Amino acid sequence: MLLRRTFVALSVTALSLGTLTLDAQAQAAAKKDLVIGGTAGSNIDQLKLGIVPILEKKGYKVKLVEFNDYVQPNLALAQGSLDANFFQHTVYLKKFSADQKLDLVELVQGPIAPLGVYSTNRKSLADVKEGDRVTLPNDPSNLARALVLLEQNKLLTLKGGIDPIRASEKDIAENPHKLKFIPLEAAQLPRSLGDTEYAIVNGNFAISSGLKLTEAVALEKTPDHYLNVVAVKRADKDAPWAKDLSDAYRSNEYKAVVDTRFQGYAKPSFLQ
């Protein structure tokens, strides 16, 4: 009798767990309210102008949340107050997720405004003088990106054999102009223009501050690993709403918005 009761209890438990799983799947399939985060400037604008209208046509109600730093959007996503975010490249996503022990993954790539060198005190990089001050992003992945941009423009040389996506100031082999590097939080870089000779500014923060890509004295040739990505929790990657979000980025409607409203942006191959 005891064995029979135990079997019945286990069967009821298994049935309950199965019901809960089915309920969770049903809720995921029926999810039509989405909260998506993006950083100020071109990233939130791409969501607002290009992605939200497509999702709304599919019956979704979308709330956008604007951020002014590169830390809170991933923390909010991991904690569940966002369903997805769009502001970072995959190099940053992987490093931040590893450092913070977050289970976040890339869903789909999207356009990014190129990293640029801006100046109000110098007309070009050819006008560089010894000891010029250069502000650049202080997060490791974008700092490396900035150093590579300076190397591409022959203002410094990095040590041979280093991984360029992990380059830091200690990897500088030659700095012939004795440039002084001042790492700052990315959102603060546009404000540094009047106080330094050059500022290397992430595209979204350049645009949100009123700078134009055409005003940069140099723009990076953005490799694919620095394209923006939509990030989601790993558990949500295969959800129906995530597929619809991914499809929106790959749609002809979104491509038309990018081509007309975000000219000069680096884009994944499917938006070329």
Side-chain angles (χ1 to χ4, degrees), residues 33-50:
D33 289 344
L34 298 178
V35 183
I36 305 175
T39 42
S42 60
N43 293 334
I44 201 77
D45 288 344
Q46 285 182 60
L47 288 165
K48 189 182 302 180
L49 300 172

Side-chain angles (χ1 to χ4, degrees), residues 29 32 55 85 87 135 225:
K32 288 296 181 179
L55 292 174
N85 66 40
F87 77 98
T135 52
H225 54 260

Side-chain angles (χ1 to χ4, degrees), residues 100-117:
Q100 299 293 325
K101 297 179 173 57
L102 306 178
D103 200 12
L104 306 180
V105 296
E106 172 187 334
L107 180 67
V108 63
Q109 286 184 320
I112 190 170
L115 190 74
V117 185

Side-chain angles (χ1 to χ4, degrees), residues 124-145:
S124 73
L125 291 178
D127 296 330
V128 66
K129 293 181 171 52
E130 184 171 315
D132 273 356
R133 297 159 297 173
V134 181
T135 52
L136 68 176
N138 65 0
D139 64 279
S141 59
N142 282 309
L143 187 147
R145 187 178 165 196

Side-chain angles (χ1 to χ4, degrees), residues 26 35-36 46 78 84 159 167 169 172 174 184 199 233 250 266 269:
V35 183
I36 305 175
Q46 285 182 60
K159 296 176 182 176
E169 291 176 77
I172 297 173
E174 297 178 20
L184 296 175
K233 294 188 289 292
R250 295 176 177 276
S269 59

Side-chain angles (χ1 to χ4, degrees), residues 191-206:
R191 300 177 188 175
S192 70
L193 273 171
D195 300 321
T196 61
E197 284 67 52
Y198 296 99
I200 304 179
V201 188
N202 297 72
N204 64 298
F205 285 126

